[in-house]
Amino acid sequence: MSSEMLPAFSETCNVERQQNLSEDGEENQKPGLSERFQPISKRQMKKLMKQKQWEEQRELRKQKRKEKRKRKQLERQCQPESNSDGSDRKRIRRDVVHSPLRLIIDCSFDSLMVLKDIKKLHKQIQRCYAENRRALHPVQFYLTSHGGQLKKNMDENDKGWVNWKDIHIKPEHYSEFIQKEDLIYLTSDSPNVLKELDESKAYVIGGLVDHNHHKGLTYKQASDHGIDHAQLPLGNFVKMNSRKVLAVNHVFEIILEYLETRDWQEAFFTILPQRKGAVPTDQACESCSHDKKFARVEGGLNSDSSEEENRHELDSTHEEEKQDKENSTESTVNSVPH
């Protein structure tokens, strides 16, 4: 290579080296595959899928809403025309007869429950409110000692409770505005059993979801305050596999049903859930007597078989004794000198 070509060659090498260095720098500045494609968790994936489905079904939901509006419009057109004063509506409402009976849910146990149980109580109260609104004989519904965790949970998850109708929601204790002689506390631990409802009284249901952690608390509170107490006549009509403690809404609904039918057994079997395994007491007694009879028959058979076994044992014992005697006689005869 000539001396003239050496400077040019060195310049070319320097330029190539600078280009390579700049390319390396650009590559280093570009994000790697691991940075661009970060792994997505299963929860995020499910969330994205749900969001995608929601967006895809937007038009479908819109169409369904339109169809529902049209269907309701057609139903209204097919219904017979009512009078201008709405007499049809008034005729339906006349069938509803409000009961003077006061039914109170005592919410003074707020501090004894965890948030999960507070939420359960809230749902039970919602059920009571809904059932009382649609009942033929709605009661005078009271929610007392309302505050604390329960009120906070209702404010956060059910803001519409402030617009509830036909209910008296009070922060005060029920004893502050209802006379003691009018009160009857409903508790399964009471020795007194209700025969019928006195609609001039105010019946109190303990608003407590405790999974039997505070057994006998409502009975003790009623006794300490000198308030009359009683339990529903559950044991007179129903035999259950589980304990007799019922949820707040079950007690509430049973009372509403009794006011309509005036029949405790019908009220119990209409409201009690199947998981309680409830059967009428007369059927339970029949099954018990059948089981006892079957046990007696089995016992008789067992005794007969045991007697027969004993007889066989005695016979075998007699045979063994007889054989022993014969053997001893033979040995004696043989031992006598001739």
Side-chain angles (χ1 to χ4, degrees):
M1 185 179 294
S2 64
S3 59
E4 293 178 357
M5 296 178 66
L6 281 173
F9 179 76
S10 61
E11 284 180 6
T12 306
C13 291
N14 290 333
V15 169
E16 288 178 356
R17 192 179 297 109
Q18 287 176 359
Q19 287 178 351
N20 290 334
L21 288 171
S22 61
E23 286 176 2
D24 290 341
E26 288 176 0
E27 285 180 2
N28 290 332
Q29 288 176 2
K30 290 180 181 179
L33 288 174
S34 59
E35 292 178 0
R36 281 185 292 175
F37 302 102
Q38 293 182 352
I40 300 175
S41 65
K42 288 183 179 179
R43 184 178 293 178
Q44 289 174 330
M45 184 68 74
K46 285 181 181 178
K47 193 173 180 181
L48 290 171
M49 290 292 289
K50 283 183 180 179
Q51 189 175 356
K52 186 181 178 183
Q53 288 175 0
W54 177 266
E55 294 294 334
E56 288 174 353
Q57 295 175 358
R58 187 188 296 274
E59 291 298 324
L60 181 63
R61 288 195 304 274
K62 191 175 178 180
Q63 186 65 28
K64 282 184 177 180
R65 286 196 296 270
K66 283 183 180 179
E67 290 173 1
K68 190 176 179 181
R69 282 197 296 269
K70 287 180 181 178
R71 189 168 60 250
K72 284 188 175 181
Q73 190 175 0
L74 287 171
E75 286 174 0
R76 283 196 297 270
Q77 289 174 357
C78 292
Q79 285 176 355
E81 293 182 1
S82 60
N83 296 331
S84 58
D85 59 349
S87 59
D88 286 351
R89 185 178 180 85
K90 288 183 179 179
R91 180 179 57 78
I92 294 168
R93 292 301 295 173
R94 269 201 298 269
D95 295 335
V96 176
V97 179
H98 288 266
S99 170
L101 183 144
R102 290 160 288 177
L103 200 50
I104 303 163
I105 296 180
D106 174 19
C107 303
S108 62
F109 306 99
D110 192 88
S111 60
L112 300 177
M113 290 182 284
V114 296
L115 182 58
K116 183 175 73 173
D117 294 333
I118 290 286
K119 289 181 177 181
K120 287 181 181 178
L121 177 61
H122 177 202
K123 287 182 179 178
Q124 291 175 10
I125 291 169
Q126 286 177 317
R127 182 69 181 266
C128 294
Y129 173 72
E131 291 299 325
N132 195 50
R133 289 280 290 169
R134 66 169 68 102
L136 288 176
H137 299 288
V139 297
Q140 309 301 311
F141 187 11
Y142 286 82
L143 205 62
T144 63
S145 301
H146 182 250
Q149 296 181 88
L150 178 62
K151 184 178 182 299
K152 184 180 178 184
N153 186 70
M154 291 173 72
D155 287 336
E156 291 174 356
N157 302 307
D158 185 19
K159 293 182 175 64
W161 72 267
V162 294
N163 299 319
W164 284 0
K165 299 176 181 178
D166 301 326
I167 184 172
H168 309 279
I169 302 176
K170 296 181 176 292
E172 300 87 9
H173 193 263
Y174 56 85
S175 60
E176 295 183 27
F177 54 89
I178 297 179
Q179 295 180 356
K180 188 182 289 186
E181 53 269 21
D182 290 342
L183 291 165
I184 298 176
Y185 213 114
L186 296 174
T187 169
S188 61
D189 298 302
S190 173
N192 308 321
V193 180
L194 277 179
K195 292 183 179 178
E196 58 184 17
L197 293 173
D198 184 351
E199 295 192 50
S200 66
K201 297 289 186 181
Y203 293 88
V204 185
I205 303 171
L208 178 62
V209 179
D210 68 331
H211 309 287
N212 216 22
H213 294 156
H214 302 283
K215 191 175 180 181
L217 181 62
T218 53
Y219 172 61
K220 184 178 183 300
Q221 188 178 91
S223 301
D224 291 346
H225 285 84
I227 298 168
D228 289 339
H229 45 79
Q231 61 169 292
L232 296 178
L234 196 63
N236 296 345
F237 299 94
V238 180
K239 178 73 176 175
M240 293 197 307
N241 294 333
S242 59
R243 59 196 181 118
K244 290 195 296 181
V245 179
L246 303 177
V248 171
N249 61 295
H250 290 154
V251 178
F252 196 101
E253 291 173 52
I254 286 167
I255 289 173
L256 289 178
E257 189 69 24
Y258 176 79
L259 289 172
E260 184 177 340
T261 62
R262 297 292 169 175
D263 186 330
W264 281 117
Q265 184 162 324
E266 186 176 344
F268 288 136
F269 284 98
T270 302
I271 302 303
L272 287 176
Q274 291 183 353
R275 69 174 183 273
K276 292 284 185 181
V279 294
T281 50
D282 51 357
Q283 289 184 17
C285 291
E286 284 175 10
S287 63
C288 288
S289 61
H290 176 73
D291 291 342
K292 286 179 181 177
K293 192 183 292 183
F294 183 71
R296 280 201 300 272
V297 170
E298 272 197 338
L301 290 172
N302 290 335
S303 63
D304 290 343
S305 61
S306 62
E307 285 178 5
E308 192 173 346
E309 287 175 1
N310 291 334
R311 198 179 299 115
H312 282 305
E313 287 179 1
L314 286 170
D315 290 343
S316 62
T317 305
H318 287 313
E319 287 291 332
E320 287 177 0
E321 288 178 354
K322 187 177 178 182
Q323 189 67 33
D324 290 340
K325 284 180 181 179
E326 287 178 0
N327 292 336
S328 63
T329 306
E330 287 179 3
S331 62
T332 306
V333 170
N334 292 331
S335 62
V336 173
H338 295 288

